[in-house]
Amino acid sequence: MPAVPPQVLAIDLGTSGMKAALVAADGTVTGWAERPVPLRVLPGGGAEQDPQAWWAALIEVVAELGRAHPEHLRAVTTVCSSTQGEGTIAVDAAGEPLTQCITWLDMRGAAHLRRQFGGFPAYQGMSLRRIVRWLRLTGGMPSTTGKDPAAHMLLVRDTMPQVYARTATFLNALDWINLKLTGRTVATVDSILTSWVTDNRRPDRIRYSPALVADCGIDAAKLPPIVACTEVIGTLAPAAAAQLNLPASVQVVAGAIDNTAAAIGAGTTADNDPHLYLGTSSWIAAHVRRKKTDVAAQIASVPCAIGDRYLMTALQATAGANLTWLKDKIVEYDDPLVGAGHLSRDEPTIFDAFDAIIPTVPAGANGVLYMPWLYGERAPVDDPNLRAGFLNISLDTNRSDLLRAVFEGVALNTRWLSGAVDRFLGTPVGSLTITGGGARSAAWCQIFADVLGVEIARDLAPVAVNARGAGWIGAVGAGMLTFADIPGLLRVDQVFTPNAAHRSRYDEIFDIYCDLHRRLAPVYRRLHR
């Protein structure tokens, strides 16, 4: 039996739970284990998770990997993490959490943000002078919804003064995992971004801006040191080594938040090489050389894992969330609409069900249009009032038509976004790597190719993209490979080419889709007064 190559223990902490995988430098993912972690929703817009529950889940998933793949776990030389972003944990001088993690869904800090950063003239309650400075230095600005650390820290300061007084450092989810692994308190160039206190004008020298720190309302001493995503921040602390059953000599690479890691895991590390991530939300992202912000389209390039590059990210609020809605409200994998005869696999998934139904409906869904704005939209327009809806339903419309319309609606929304991405990159996107859980649907991948009019290359293991990204960041940090090596390592299982027969139909539908937004946006504003 050949020797097992060195492995990276890749930690993937999402909002739904803790996952871990064993990843080799060539991208081979051996083993996968996960545990759910509950989200506690609170009155007034609160949404928290228990950091200690993350750690307990990590111990369990690593133990499971060890039972299933003992030789690979023994080959671990490096640990690297990818986590949800925009969470905030106050920790004391001993590194113990004083609060739950205030997650990226938590909006309780919005009013505190406006009080701290208000002024005249203002936009959405924020001083225009401050907005201009944020854009110039950071490339973005705090979310007025209160969903990022800039607001979370103010929430703790103003509503938990005793906790604030005891807080030694505010940490993101990634930073806290690294603290537990090594005993060292640091933030990465991407985890610190949404505290909105850094000068990001040089990607290889991300540092705190004295002016932004002085204005943020938080004591400078409570902000952690900043390191590169690929920095080796230490070896496993004795307690972590014992709990994870790994040698204390295993090194820990700082890692990245989820969208940064996905851009590496998708194999798109070359300049202007985009990928489309299909998860609960979706985004188009590409590494670029310049810091740039398109305020109108809500697209920016921000610090990332590659030290001399930025990551352009264009985020759309809901993609796979529409599939969840479909699964919960319209069709299940054992639904009679599908029928046992449609599926050949012994254990069919919801994606098998969708892929059995979608091709039976012609392009254009027999005239039914769907707008996928279940939770507003982020880009190319920032409008929290937009909502989803079907259009042109008739007595002849059936559930299969509705299913295809939903898949097409998300693709049309991505085409809407892709125009802004083309302008940002300065060149039309000619092909896309598609990854994330939604990429498991071959029918959806073909619809994206047809609607966007570009080749779509599907990642062989799209669900593992974040873990693979963490593995590759860890491998780069450990000196096993370089970012330039990664595009040649990505494995593609299928390339979907546009069907020319569908192009004119989708061009016509896309014009109608854009017109619908122009006409309906004022209606949604009235409905949400």
Side-chain angles (χ1 to χ4, degrees), residues 95-112:
E96 293 299 317
L98 298 171
T99 63
Q100 300 286 287
C101 176
I102 306 169
T103 73
W104 62 276
L105 293 164
D106 196 301
M107 299 184 288
R108 290 174 296 171
H112 305 274

Side-chain angles (χ1 to χ4, degrees), residues 234-293:
T235 54
L236 287 175
Q243 291 172 313
L244 300 178
N245 195 27
L246 291 170
S249 59
V250 168
Q251 59 190 347
V252 179
V253 173
I257 62 172
D258 49 11
N259 61 335
T260 306
I264 304 300
T268 50
T269 57
D271 289 351
N272 291 0
D273 184 10
H275 74 271
L276 171 61
Y277 180 91
L278 285 177
T280 301
S281 59
S282 70
W283 61 73
I284 298 174
H287 291 98
V288 297
R289 290 177 176 270
R290 293 176 50 222
K291 173 183 166 294
K292 180 180 175 182
T293 303

